[in-house]
Amino acid sequence: MQLQEILYSQGFGTRRVCAGLIQQGLVQVYMPDSGEMPVVIAQAATELEAEGLRFKVQGVEWQYFEKAYLVLHKPAGTECSQKPSTYPSIYTLLPSPLRLRPQKAAVQGVQAVGRLDQDTTGMLLLTDDGKFIHRMSSPKHHVPKVYEVTVKHPLDERQVQKLLAGVVLDDDPAPVRAAACEAVSEFHLRLTLTEGKYHQVKRMLAAVGNRVEGLHRSRIGGVGLPADLAPGQWRWLSAEELVAVQAKG
């Protein structure tokens, strides 16, 4: 693949902008024979093996990925929206290339896989793979998601059993059940869900006579939120994590 095409596919701007970055000497590539010293390539049409290619653009390290799969530690006070109404968008936490990766759809860049409310924190996946978003969002796939819930009133065994047995929400006569539910402490509930209805955790707790005071998603599928990922930080998912995050438990 031509170097300008590689940069374009990774979100560094139009083909003309990418060619300009290369011609100005702003792109360095880790060549197989150059070891850990990247070399400047100034010819936009230079053919390179894209898969696994590491490079620098204006001094910033990047790696080629055909599709982007990210994990973000969502902080409180952010919205999972391209056009936020009140709070800053989670997309402002990402570098520009991830927001500009070319897509056949109208919206460019990576998109959140599902949404978390503005006051909810924790694990959020983002990708530009539409099939992955559909698969992870489909109720048929039953990917478990684990939430750490801080509640207003002391928990008791009756509430836990009700959540496991199923509660009826006001917009659906079919009971909604927790896949797993554990009172970690008097005010801390660990709740596992395999579907994602609007404000589901808050409504389920309200249905058993309690109230959510804090909500944090700690795990999706077989992958937990990385302990070294601070609120507002993101990183690429590894190939192993990409498989594990789709695990049905």
Side-chain angles (χ1 to χ4, degrees):
M1 190 186 294
Q2 291 187 358
L3 183 55
Q4 63 182 354
E5 286 294 323
I6 290 173
L7 261 59
Y8 169 71
S9 75
Q10 303 301 287
F12 287 93
T14 64
R15 289 178 176 86
R16 179 176 291 184
V17 167
C18 292
L21 288 168
I22 297 164
Q23 290 159 4
Q24 292 172 60
L26 298 174
V27 180
Q28 298 169 286
V29 177
Y30 291 90
M31 304 296 286
D33 55 356
S34 68
E36 285 303 301
M37 288 296 292
V39 297
V40 173
I41 295 183
Q43 298 297 320
T46 302
E47 293 275 347
L48 295 165
E49 178 63 45
E51 192 60 40
L53 186 71
R54 291 168 56 224
F55 54 95
K56 284 185 174 184
V57 179
Q58 295 178 298
V60 179
E61 292 264 359
W62 285 90
Q63 184 173 347
Y64 174 87
F65 290 100
E66 184 178 357
K67 292 290 184 183
Y69 303 97
L70 318 173
V71 55
L72 170 75
H73 186 164
K74 181 191 174 295
T78 53
E79 294 184 29
C80 296
S81 172
Q82 297 280 4
K83 297 179 180 179
S85 58
T86 308
Y87 297 87
S89 168
I90 56 161
Y91 297 102
T92 63
L93 301 170
L94 303 175
S96 176
L98 291 175
R99 305 198 305 268
L100 296 176
R101 286 172 70 98
Q103 287 253 52
K104 292 178 181 177
V107 180
Q108 301 301 292
V110 296
Q111 307 298 314
V113 182
R115 292 191 172 197
L116 295 176
D117 295 341
Q118 61 83 14
D119 56 346
T120 301
T121 62
M123 188 172 178
L124 189 67
L125 302 178
L126 298 105
T127 183
D128 58 354
D129 183 345
K131 291 181 179 178
F132 178 80
I133 292 175
H134 177 74
R135 189 162 62 250
M136 292 294 287
S137 304
S138 170
K140 296 177 183 177
H141 199 59
H142 297 300
V143 175
K145 299 175 180 69
V146 181
Y147 296 88
E148 311 299 329
V149 190
T150 303
V151 297
K152 183 173 183 178
H153 307 295
L155 292 161
D156 58 42
E157 188 60 25
R158 179 189 60 85
Q159 292 176 16
V160 171
Q161 291 306 317
K162 273 191 173 183
L163 291 166
L164 288 168
V167 295
V168 176
L169 306 180
D170 53 18
D171 62 347
D172 191 345
V176 177
R177 298 177 179 85
C181 188
E182 173 194 1
V184 180
S185 67
E186 192 176 17
F187 295 96
H188 177 189
L189 184 74
R190 182 166 295 134
L191 190 68
T192 303
L193 303 178
T194 57
E195 54 189 323
K197 294 179 180 290
Y198 181 69
H199 287 167
Q200 183 172 343
V201 176
K202 294 175 182 177
R203 293 161 68 204
M204 287 178 73
L205 266 295
V208 299
N210 215 318
R211 177 176 170 172
V212 173
E213 295 284 279
L215 189 56
H216 176 86
R217 185 157 68 193
S218 59
R219 176 173 288 269
I220 300 175
V223 179
L225 178 67
D228 60 348
L229 206 60
Q233 290 185 334
W234 68 275
R235 70 163 172 77
W236 301 95
L237 284 177
S238 69
E240 294 77 18
E241 288 173 328
L242 184 59
V243 172
V245 82
Q246 301 175 68
K248 298 181 182 182

